[in-house]
Amino acid sequence: MVHGVAFTCPECSKNCSSISGLSRHRKSKHREFTPAPEGEDENTFQQTNHPLLTARPCDAAGRYLPPFAGPAAKPPPPMNGQDPNEWAPFRSRAEFDFAQYHFVELQTSEGQINTALDIWAASVAEFGGLPLEYTPDDPEKCSIIPTDDIDFLPCTHYPLTSATLQNTKDLYATIDKIQAGDLPWRTFQLQYTGDLPAGTPPKWMTRKYEVSVRNLRDVLHHQLETRDFHSHIDMTAYRQFNHAGDRVWSNLMSGDWAWKQSDIIATDPANHGCAFVPVVAGSDKTTVSVATGHQEYHPVYASLGNLTGPARRAHGNAVLPVAFLAIPKTSKKHRRNPVYQRFCRQMYHASLALVYQPLKQYMETPDIVRCPDGHLRRVVYGIGPYIADYPEQVWLAGIVQNWCPKCDALPDQLDSEGARLRTRTKTETLITCFDPGILWDDYGIRADIIPFTHSFPRADIHELLSPDLLHQVIKGTFKDHLVSWVNEYLVLAHGEKRANEIIHDIDRRIAAVPEFPGLRRFPDGRDFNQWTGDDSKALMKVYLGAVAGYIPSEMVKSLATFMDLCYAVRRNAITAPDLVRVGNVLSRFHQHRAIFIELGVRADISLPRQHSLIHYIPSIRLFGSPNGLCSSITESKHIKAVKEPWRQSSRYNALKQMLVTLTRLDKLAALKSSFTARGMMTGTTSSYTARVLAGDKPQVEAVAAAAALLEDEDGDNGVIHGPKSLSEIQLAPTPQRGYPKTLASLALHIEQPQFPELFRRFLYEELHGAPEEDTPTIPIDACPIFPGNISVHHSAVARFYAPSDLGGAGGMYRERIRSHPAWHGYARRDTVLVDVGASAMSGLVVARVLLFFSFLFGGKNFECALVNWLVPVADAPDPDTGMWVVEPEREGGVRTAAIIEVGSIARGAHLIGVYGTNPLPEDFHFSDSLDAFNTYFVNPYADHHMHEFLAELH
């Protein structure tokens, strides 16, 4: 028992004196685990699809196919890489990889590409190519390869069957010949058409503004035809229930909105059997360069609403740019002119209407489209949720700044009861009944703006504005509000000088947290000039533990409840009981945040971004998890769709060059997807070429890919793209060199004198089972002597299902756990959660890994870890932070150690020292954190799947 925590076996209620004793007892007496009866798996779901819009396959004429019929048109036969023409318009794997590497990955300049091709040509000449002036004895044995300035003749011993790329112009021309993914851009001009003032009108009135647009129907066809989406798309609206019978909201098509839209479409019997395809769109301004005149672009992105949320967040063509909106600019003199402001908003909505126009005729009558499974289907489109931050939501909804775009709550009383939801019908009625002044002052409506959705069927912009986790919750409520308010409180409570000292120490605390896979380090705390969304998300993971001790208990609770609320709504699957808990946590957050008013930090908390949290529960019921509808999706696309193409341009008239680059990128991506599906991208360029020359037909090698994943010693964590599978943990496959192999010499090398005895007792328990806790200690001489060799590993990879993770389409995640004596110049010994069935923390105990090792014994390969235990100090989490607090377990003043099999490790754990009120030394290094403190917080916010994992256990 440690601080009132009994190590009690959950199966037989036996009390043990230590966590090591409990581990031995369970291993001995309760080793076998009985699997759940068939049909009782807690991960099973029941699903009810919409009864009328059933997404039935059809032929090219729209006639429904009989059940189990194959696709109306068979896909082309699979390629095998043997025929060079299969690489068309490229002539080989080498040519395609060259284009992919230089144009997509390196974004090489034209001059650098020419240099690389010149070197390539020289290598051809050296190993088989000769100048044209050389006349071979037998010309038929050679094939002439023309280039710009010189021709080459390959030698017969190294046959080159076709020409190589000649120069940058040839490379670009080859990319332009790709037919797959061809989504051209068109440019439209818009202009002010109102009355011009007398004299010389302002330039903005006479200027023509360009809007570049792709055909949205073609974009959706391209996305629907993507076979990679076959396992990550829902072609029908559905309602899902878990094993307990609770409703589950996950992807957009699981929400009430998709079902309701399907009901409306199905009122026309001619649409029965169709599929409903909503369009998720998003737009957000982005700056590519401040130095060259604050250069901005305003892209619009589109995605299939049928895709799962994780698939939309994953890389690929799930989200594509479909428009670049014009950004009018004028002098300061005219910026506040109501006519100019009205024109800007009207042009904005006219441009969005232009984007959706190709779909309008197919929003009530079906379009015939090929789907990821190869079948044709009749689909009816609809305008789906729109992703935007608050300033853009104001423009989209046609409301006044500081009002809510979803309800009519007054700006100074946003969270008061009685507010009603805005609707398209209500807004139209109010505009017909009241003059513009009343609409502006009493309802927050701009009478001079008609949202673009009003000209399309079944579209209500107030309903379609989706929750925005990034700007409303992470960058808004957390960074802009709570973090700023904490600093303001410190100044009020302690004065500016002392507050700055405390803030400086908080920064040191943030910099002192131990490493963890995927956790960004803050070497200087949170004191940096420009915050990004990633900065805010990273700071959230470590902030609570850093400020605990410096701020009042109620303020800590306010931060803790907000964090729990944020992580709860960021899950990919949210159940009906989860929504009840979200409502309760939101109420507690509203209660605790009043401390900022009571202490004089705030006069009120009527803020649009915090108010938006009230709409999250109904929005989740409508649209599913906010994960798949967050502006972080569009922001992440800015890099590939805007910033990198801009950097590749000459900066002059850059947009036209950017559009060409985007088209080429999409073509290369589509072609690569096709090649990959046929096994033609397996291995490196040289290894693939060697296999083809040997007559092999390359295939995707899942085993090799998995091995490469384990071998990637530099990758701490990441998503695993693929289907959901069983969780597992494995040591890195390659043992480390330089370690002694024998038991005694290895113990001396790692400075762990107790290791041989622990090892031998581990072997005894393998042979005879663990002794009872109250029996005499087995003499060490009775334990087996191990004459074999021991291999040391510096890491293990845990692979598990993490539905709250934001990347992998299948929900699988990998995490590397390290025990390395010299990781970037210091010893890194990670901490993990081990399942031993303890009474606290739902059977989990924290351990620090001192050594990963493997050995053979009795014909079995053992993968093990030498660990120190850290045990809970109480039988419940800390009442203020809500985090468990643990301390190193000690016997006789020495930290206890044990040997465990790595299979008992659930996953990594992240600890933050309980700092109290004592400042850290200026030179404190984070690598000392796990040795420096008496107690530690078990940080559930280190990543999203950890929070979900611990929350579900409790």
Side-chain angles (χ1 to χ4, degrees):
M1 181 177 292
V2 179
H3 294 288
V5 178
F7 298 111
T8 304
C9 175
E11 282 83 5
C12 66
S13 301
K14 177 179 176 60
N15 290 326
C16 300
S17 61
S18 67
I19 193 62
S20 298
L22 176 59
S23 177
R24 290 194 298 270
H25 168 78
R26 292 196 73 220
K27 186 176 180 181
S28 172
K29 298 299 183 181
H30 312 288
R31 192 180 190 120
E32 299 299 325
F33 295 90
T34 303
E38 187 173 355
E40 295 185 12
D41 182 2
E42 63 179 10
N43 292 318
T44 59
F45 295 93
Q46 292 183 347
Q47 183 169 303
T48 301
N49 295 327
H50 194 275
L52 299 177
L53 263 62
T54 53
R56 291 180 58 187
C58 67
D59 61 19
R63 296 182 294 266
Y64 291 125
L65 301 177
F68 310 111
K74 293 183 179 180
M79 299 181 182
N80 57 27
Q82 293 292 333
D83 182 359
N85 292 329
E86 292 178 343
W87 290 99
F90 296 94
R91 287 158 287 209
S92 65
R93 164 77 181 264
E95 280 198 9
F96 176 78
D97 281 354
F98 183 93
Q100 177 75 16
Y101 182 63
H102 282 278
F103 190 79
V104 179
E105 298 179 28
L106 294 185
Q107 301 167 27
T108 312
S109 68
E110 293 188 16
Q112 291 169 326
I113 291 175
N114 281 329
T115 299
L117 287 172
D118 183 65
I119 295 172
W120 189 2
S123 68
V124 172
E126 182 179 359
F127 296 102
L130 294 174
L132 183 61
E133 289 75 12
Y134 172 76
T135 304
D137 295 333
D138 186 357
E140 294 182 358
K141 293 182 180 180
C142 303
S143 58
I144 298 176
I145 304 176
T147 66
D148 274 358
D149 304 314
I150 189 169
D151 292 347
F152 292 97
L153 297 174
C155 293
T156 56
H157 69 275
Y158 189 81
L160 297 178
T161 58
S162 62
T164 59
L165 295 168
Q166 301 172 28
N167 51 32
T168 305
K169 182 178 179 181
D170 185 25
L171 172 66
Y172 292 165
T174 304
I175 297 174
D176 292 338
K177 292 177 183 176
I178 300 173
Q179 298 300 311
D182 187 12
L183 301 168
W185 293 83
R186 295 182 62 193
T187 299
F188 298 87
Q189 291 186 334
L190 302 177
Q191 188 175 9
Y192 176 75
T193 57
D195 296 332
L196 299 178
T200 303
K203 289 184 178 180
W204 67 265
M205 287 187 170
T206 57
R207 183 176 299 160
K208 294 181 179 179
Y209 300 92
E210 292 187 345
V211 179
S212 298
V213 180
R214 275 172 162 166
N215 187 301
L216 183 54
R217 179 169 171 250
D218 291 343
V219 171
L220 297 181
H221 282 206
H222 171 63
Q223 291 175 327
L224 278 167
E225 291 174 357
T226 303
R227 291 186 174 270
D228 293 345
F229 295 150
H230 179 41
S231 301
H232 310 294
I233 194 168
D234 304 304
M235 295 307 299
T236 61
Y238 64 94
R239 291 170 176 162
Q240 193 175 54
F241 301 87
N242 64 14
H243 70 289
D246 297 319
R247 177 81 181 271
V248 180
W249 290 271
S250 53
N251 306 311
L252 174 61
M253 299 301 284
S254 72
D256 295 342
W257 176 82
W259 192 282
K260 181 178 68 175
Q261 289 280 304
S262 298
D263 284 343
I264 297 172
I265 295 170
T267 56
D268 183 353
N271 291 332
H272 291 182
C274 291
F276 172 51
V277 175
V279 182
V280 174
S283 55
D284 182 28
K285 286 183 182 178
T286 183
T287 302
V288 293
S289 174
V290 176
T292 57
H294 200 69
Q295 183 65 54
E296 289 183 313
Y297 293 96
H298 199 162
V300 180
Y301 302 97
S303 174
L304 289 170
N306 309 80
L307 292 176
T308 64
R312 188 171 299 112
R313 304 192 70 95
H315 298 294
N317 68 332
V319 180
L320 290 173
V322 294
F324 280 84
L325 305 181
I327 303 179
K329 293 184 178 181
T330 189
S331 62
K332 284 187 177 181
K333 176 181 178 182
H334 297 289
R335 286 176 196 165
R336 295 188 177 275
N337 185 334
V339 179
Y340 171 75
Q341 294 180 348
R342 181 171 63 249
F343 166 70
C344 291
R345 284 171 168 78
Q346 289 176 341
M347 183 170 64
Y348 173 82
H349 284 276
S351 300
L352 290 176
L354 188 64
V355 172
Y356 283 97
Q357 192 61 37
L359 301 183
K360 189 170 185 178
Q361 64 175 314
Y362 303 109
M363 289 184 175
E364 293 179 302
T365 59
D367 187 16
I368 298 176
V369 184
R370 190 170 300 281
C371 298
D373 62 358
H375 276 290
L376 294 171
R377 285 181 174 84
R378 303 168 71 234
V379 305
V380 177
Y381 302 110
I383 296 180
Y386 203 101
I387 302 170
D389 60 11
Y390 176 73
E392 189 130 2
Q393 288 184 354
V394 169
W395 278 52
L396 285 161
I399 64 166
V400 179
Q401 187 75 21
N402 295 324
W403 285 74
C404 175
K406 298 188 75 72
C407 74
D408 58 9
L410 298 175
D412 57 349
Q413 303 175 37
L414 284 173
D415 294 334
S416 61
E417 297 182 359
R420 297 182 178 181
L421 292 177
R422 298 181 186 271
T423 67
R424 168 178 169 174
T425 302
K426 185 189 298 185
T427 298
E428 290 174 343
T429 302
L430 290 172
I431 289 176
T432 60
C433 295
F434 297 102
D435 65 51
I438 293 176
L439 292 171
W440 183 288
D441 294 334
D442 296 348
Y443 298 99
I445 296 174
R446 295 185 63 116
D448 57 347
I449 301 299
I450 300 177
F452 77 94
T453 51
H454 285 216
S455 59
F456 294 89
R458 307 185 312 277
D460 185 339
I461 191 59
H462 304 296
E463 179 184 53
L464 293 175
L465 292 175
S466 66
D468 182 11
L469 289 169
L470 178 62
H471 288 92
Q472 293 170 342
V473 176
I474 299 169
K475 293 176 72 173
T477 303
F478 174 68
K479 189 268 285 187
D480 292 341
H481 299 162
L482 296 179
V483 173
S484 298
W485 296 352
V486 166
N487 290 348
E488 291 172 23
Y489 158 75
L490 293 173
V491 173
L492 287 173
H494 302 284
E496 186 170 352
K497 181 179 179 181
R498 175 57 182 156
N500 287 335
E501 293 174 354
I502 294 174
I503 292 171
H504 181 57
D505 188 54
I506 291 172
D507 286 344
R508 287 200 299 273
R509 294 178 173 190
I510 292 170
V513 299
E515 288 199 293
F516 187 76
L519 184 68
R520 175 184 165 180
R521 293 213 49 76
F522 291 91
D524 301 313
R526 39 99 282 204
D527 187 19
F528 37 85
N529 294 325
Q530 185 174 353
W531 288 68
T532 67
D534 288 340
D535 294 331
S536 300
K537 285 183 280 188
L539 183 63
M540 286 180 70
K541 299 177 180 182
V542 297
Y543 186 71
L544 183 60
V547 298
Y550 277 132
I551 60 178
S553 170
E554 192 71 6
M555 200 172 288
V556 174
K557 291 178 180 177
S558 174
L559 290 169
T561 53
F562 168 75
M563 296 286 288
D564 288 336
L565 174 66
C566 175
Y567 277 63
V569 297
R570 294 184 74 182
R571 296 185 179 191
N572 281 342
I574 302 173
T575 66
D578 288 337
L579 289 184
V580 174
R581 286 191 287 270
V582 167
N584 293 335
V585 174
L586 180 59
S587 297
R588 293 202 304 273
F589 171 61
H590 285 167
Q591 174 187 343
H592 293 313
R593 72 177 180 176
I595 187 66
F596 292 103
I597 296 177
E598 295 169 9
L599 296 179
V601 178
R602 295 286 304 177
D604 66 79
I605 308 181
S606 184
L607 302 164
R609 285 178 290 183
Q610 285 202 34
H611 164 74
S612 68
L613 296 173
I614 291 176
H615 297 296
Y616 270 57
I617 292 177
S619 292
I620 289 169
R621 290 194 177 102
L622 281 176
F623 303 130
S625 168
N627 264 357
L629 300 170
C630 177
S631 60
S632 60
I633 298 173
T634 55
E635 284 207 356
S636 66
K637 293 298 292 187
H638 285 339
I639 297 173
K640 293 294 183 183
V642 183
K643 296 186 178 183
E644 290 182 357
W646 181 81
R647 295 187 192 113
Q648 289 180 265
S649 73
S650 66
R651 313 293 198 272
Y652 175 74
N653 201 8
L655 182 57
K656 291 183 178 180
Q657 300 171 58
M658 292 162 60
L659 300 182
V660 172
T661 298
L662 286 173
T663 301
R664 289 170 175 166
L665 288 171
D666 289 339
K667 288 185 172 188
L668 283 169
L671 192 59
K672 182 179 180 180
S673 177
S674 175
F675 290 158
T676 301
R678 292 163 173 80
M680 296 167 64
M681 298 302 297
T682 305
T684 64
T685 310
S686 58
S687 66
Y688 173 88
T689 303
R691 291 183 62 182
V692 169
L693 291 175
D696 291 345
K697 295 183 179 181
Q699 298 177 353
V700 177
E701 298 176 347
V703 175
L709 184 68
L710 289 171
E711 289 283 6
D712 180 17
E713 286 283 351
D714 293 329
D716 263 6
N717 69 322
V719 300
I720 300 173
H721 297 287
K724 176 183 173 182
S725 62
L726 295 176
S727 300
E728 62 179 354
I729 180 168
Q730 295 176 277
L731 295 181
T734 304
Q736 295 296 315
R737 298 180 179 179
Y739 284 90
K741 293 293 185 179
T742 63
L743 184 59
S745 57
L746 178 59
L748 289 173
H749 183 83
I750 64 175
E751 300 179 352
Q752 296 290 338
Q754 81 280 30
F755 181 55
E757 180 176 346
L758 292 172
F759 190 96
R760 292 177 66 184
R761 294 192 183 281
F762 177 85
L763 296 184
Y764 178 91
E765 294 173 6
E766 282 298 317
L767 293 175
H768 306 290
E772 290 291 339
E773 182 67 16
D774 51 1
T775 59
T777 302
I778 303 298
I780 189 62
D781 291 341
C783 298
I785 296 175
F786 180 70
N789 292 332
I790 300 174
S791 298
V792 173
H793 305 256
H794 282 171
S795 68
V797 173
R799 184 177 181 273
F800 48 84
Y801 178 58
S804 63
D805 184 72
L806 308 184
M812 296 300 295
Y813 193 82
R814 66 175 176 87
E815 177 180 87
R816 188 172 293 276
I817 303 162
R818 298 187 185 276
S819 182
H820 198 299
W823 176 253
H824 297 302
Y826 61 89
R828 175 174 171 180
R829 310 293 184 187
D830 287 350
T831 49
V832 296
L833 289 173
V834 182
D835 185 4
V836 297
S839 56
M841 288 181 61
S842 298
L844 296 174
V845 172
V846 177
R848 189 179 184 192
V849 181
L850 305 179
L851 182 74
F852 282 122
F853 61 97
S854 63
F855 61 94
L856 284 172
F857 179 72
K860 176 183 175 182
N861 183 59
F862 287 87
E863 294 190 344
C864 298
L866 173 66
V867 302
N868 285 144
W869 295 116
L870 294 99
V871 296
V873 302
D875 58 0
D878 175 68
D880 288 347
T881 63
M883 296 189 285
W884 286 94
V885 180
V886 297
E887 66 179 356
E889 184 187 56
R890 301 178 187 273
E891 291 181 358
V894 179
R895 289 193 177 192
T896 59
I899 290 176
I900 61 173
E901 293 191 60
V902 297
S904 64
I905 296 174
R907 60 193 65 186
H910 186 242
L911 304 186
I912 298 178
V914 178
Y915 301 110
T917 57
N918 296 322
L920 287 179
E922 288 284 347
D923 59 349
F924 187 88
H925 193 267
F926 69 89
S927 62
D928 298 322
S929 283
L930 293 175
D931 298 306
F933 303 100
N934 294 323
T935 55
Y936 297 87
F937 290 119
V938 181
N939 180 20
Y941 308 114
D943 56 30
H944 306 95
H945 58 263
M946 176 61 67
H947 183 271
E948 181 173 359
F949 180 67
L950 293 176
E952 288 182 350
L953 291 175
H954 305 327

